[in-house]
Amino acid sequence: MDTFSHRLVIIFFFLSSVSNVFGSNICTSRGVTTCQQCLAVHPSCAWCSQKEFGKGGSSLSRCDLKQNLLDAGCSQAALEFPSSILTIQEDALLSDKGTADNVIQIKPQKLHMVLRPGDAKHFTVSVKQVEDYPVDLYYLMDLSFSMNDDLARLKTLGNELAIVMGRTTSNLRMGFGAFVDKTMSPYMTIFPPEAIENPCFGTHEKCVAQFGFKNVLSLTKKVSRFTEEVGKQQVSRNRDGPEGGFDAVMQAVVCKDKIGWRPDASHLLVFTTDAKTHIALDGRIAGIVQPNDGQCYLDDDNSYNKSTVLDYPSLGLMTEKMSENNINLIFAVTSYVKPLYEEYSKLIPGTTVGTLSDDSGNVIQLIEKAYAKIRSKVELDLLGVPEELNLSFNATCLNGEVIHGLKSCSGLKIGDTVSFSVEAHLRGCPKEKSRTFTIKPRGFRNSLEVTVDFACSCDCDTKAEANSAHCSNGNGTYECGVCQCHKGRLGPQCECSVEDYRPSDDVNCISNPKARICSGRGNCLCGQCSCHANEFGLVWGKYCECDDFNCPRFKGAQCSDNGKCSCGFCQCNSGWKGENCNCTTRKDTCMSSMGLLCSGRGNCECGECQCTQPGAYGATCEKCPTCPGACTIKQACVECQHFQRGQYIEDNSCSRICKNEIQVVDELAPPEKNAAVCSYRDENNCVVRFQYYEDDSGKSILSVVKEPECPEGPNVLVVLMAVTGAILLLGLVGLLIWKLLITIHDRREFAKFEEERAKAKWDTANNPLYKGATSTFTNVAYRGN
């Protein structure tokens, strides 16, 4: 049982207990009179269409909790209680490589749901950035006169571009297109007549005639063809400063067959210029009033033939067509116009902006970096979602961390898989009985198709009897066990006319003894309340107790203008919650530049960060100079922004994470208020010192000492002399120690000798060492007489 179902059971039993104690619950308290209204009150409400139901007790309501109706005698067959159901219809496994015949990057692929008002279902969407995915790269270049040096440089870069892109895909196709501006005044020079064919007339230069857009080379695997066609191009010249680039972008996007976009490839559209561009309504300067319709108008020569007929496209139309055709737009523009295109990028989802050098020499690195950035992010687009259906997302990105309220993941690598938990909640009933919408990762071909059947009507509605005999001889329609009376008729069986009045019937129009008849907002006719019309809105209910204009307000607006009022309760629109619908359910507004919810220092409440970490402040709690670890976080930004090294450089996340302004100084100034003074040792064992603070405008500033403090290198001569001196000193010390030890040893031996001599005692009468001078020998051979 999922979490929502578990909660629903708890609510059901709670409401049942309340009903038993107080005799009223959410189903019986809304004054509904039809089965369809009953189902819209709450998912726990049921309707009894049994004809005889309630005859024994007039206080019984046909709209009640399911168990209450069964206990009151309603048969199971007469019970209207549709349930919400979710069925996965297609759930193929995600692909590992982009070289497969049918690459699948999203799972599941098809869902079917049955939802009743107020109910919700959960499902999980998984998305994978597969390896070696095919790439279609279309290079769209401004060929106005100021781009002459850029064209010359591009003629030499075709092979290198193919080699660089070949590192990420083995299936690359490249194409080339060019644009200038609309071929009419005031965008084009028309005098003298020679300037029409040669816009550079009078400048000693030869230019080709001005054109709007032409598809020079459709997408092809032959890199040599790209180099060959680019080599044939010449620049043109237009009259005004802005170019007609967005005309070209629109045609490159929608002319799928002419350009050659493959359905199973990543589509990169590289837009290079050094100038501003015309946008929608600029065509009125030339008398062009027909809006751009987003259709393909390339003729047999692959040239745009509606340049002088249709206005420039709007940003909204470009966004729509790019999403339909899975195009990733890369603005490669010079620093002069980069701020303008960064603003365009904020309004056109899925675009990236890079700074182009004066001669486009860095365009290959720019494209490589932009493509890596595109592949490092997954963001879900929603197409065709009905207004009454509220979709909430929780993203599970890297390391299994769940980020609430987010439908995108960044910082990914090729081969990573991310998932999104989706809750589909039906707030009301659309006019249609069924709708299909799409969840699609931006720039991906694959998508999830979701079909929703709205369980807003009752089966018994199909058995309605118009002018039924059950309703006082045809004075109403018998529908789901009750009579829907014709105009001017009242009563359970439409037995009374509005002209009839009996004071004895007033008791049936009072909710309790102290209450006013029909809550003071209606007349009691035939024992039934006929509610008055009200200039503020509708009044209804058994006792006229309900209306659509008395609900909680916020800043003077009922339901904060973010929901509908129904019988004193706000039914919030998609993306809003709370008693008065003033609390947004969005979480993306709380995401920091590092992809953390409130920078990990607070909670996201109603779309705003409530910082819980002492010292943290800012829209996403990103500013906290005194927080533990602030120096560590900024250290990585110093490494990538000032020294162009480190982890953020390796994973191309420096520009995304580090938004600080770097100030290089010779020495740090006295610390500002709330400033953090930091230092660390780099990879060369040098000490880097920097200071981090927020200025009065709230801008984050890093002051970095220009040169790290590195230890000085050794003096060779000093070291040599020191080593030599040390050796001599050690030798001398060794000799002295040896001499000292010998001396000590000799003295000990001499002392021992003296001691032994003193102890010796000699015999003075007989010297054992004395020998006499006379020696006597015996002759052994002598024989005497």
Side-chain angles (χ1 to χ4, degrees), residues 686-705:
C686 298
V687 178
V688 180
R689 302 185 186 279
F690 65 93
Q691 181 176 279
Y692 164 56
Y693 71 98
E694 311 288 335
D695 64 10
D696 294 336
S697 64
K699 182 187 295 182
S700 300
I701 297 178
L702 281 174
S703 298
V704 184
V705 176

Side-chain angles (χ1 to χ4, degrees), residues 444-579:
F444 284 47
R445 176 180 67 91
N446 300 128
S447 63
L448 168 61
E449 182 182 282
V450 182
T451 300
V452 184
D453 293 338
F454 306 112
C456 294
S457 59
C458 304
D459 292 339
C460 56
D461 289 340
T462 60
K463 304 173 183 178
E465 301 176 16
N467 303 317
S468 174
H470 297 292
C471 302
S472 186
N473 299 318
N475 283 312
T477 299
Y478 184 73
E479 183 179 302
C480 296
V482 296
C483 287
Q484 305 297 331
C485 300
H486 294 162
K487 187 175 181 180
R489 304 294 298 186
L490 295 171
Q493 279 79 41
C494 307
E495 68 276 12
C496 293
S497 172
V498 293
E499 289 82 11
D500 298 336
Y501 175 71
R502 293 190 299 272
S504 60
D505 294 333
D506 289 351
V507 68
N508 295 324
C509 299
I510 302 175
S511 58
N512 61 72
K514 296 183 180 181
R516 300 170 63 188
I517 296 175
C518 296
S519 305
R521 302 198 292 183
N523 297 324
C524 185
L525 304 176
C526 302
Q528 186 174 349
C529 285
S530 176
C531 303
H532 295 157
N534 194 296
E535 60 179 323
F536 298 108
L538 297 177
V539 179
W540 75 92
K542 183 176 181 180
Y543 306 108
C544 300
E545 73 278 15
C546 291
D547 59 54
D548 61 0
F549 50 85
N550 277 313
C551 280
R553 295 175 179 268
F554 181 72
K555 294 183 178 180
Q558 184 170 257
C559 298
S560 308
D561 285 338
N562 296 320
K564 297 178 181 179
C565 181
S566 176
C567 201
F569 296 90
C570 286
Q571 294 181 344
C572 301
N573 295 336
S574 175
W576 297 92
K577 65 178 182 179
E579 183 183 22

Side-chain angles (χ1 to χ4, degrees), residues 400-415:
E401 180 186 4
V402 178
I403 305 175
H404 298 281
L406 198 66
K407 56 179 181 179
S408 64
C409 288
S410 56
L412 307 178
K413 296 180 180 179
I414 302 299

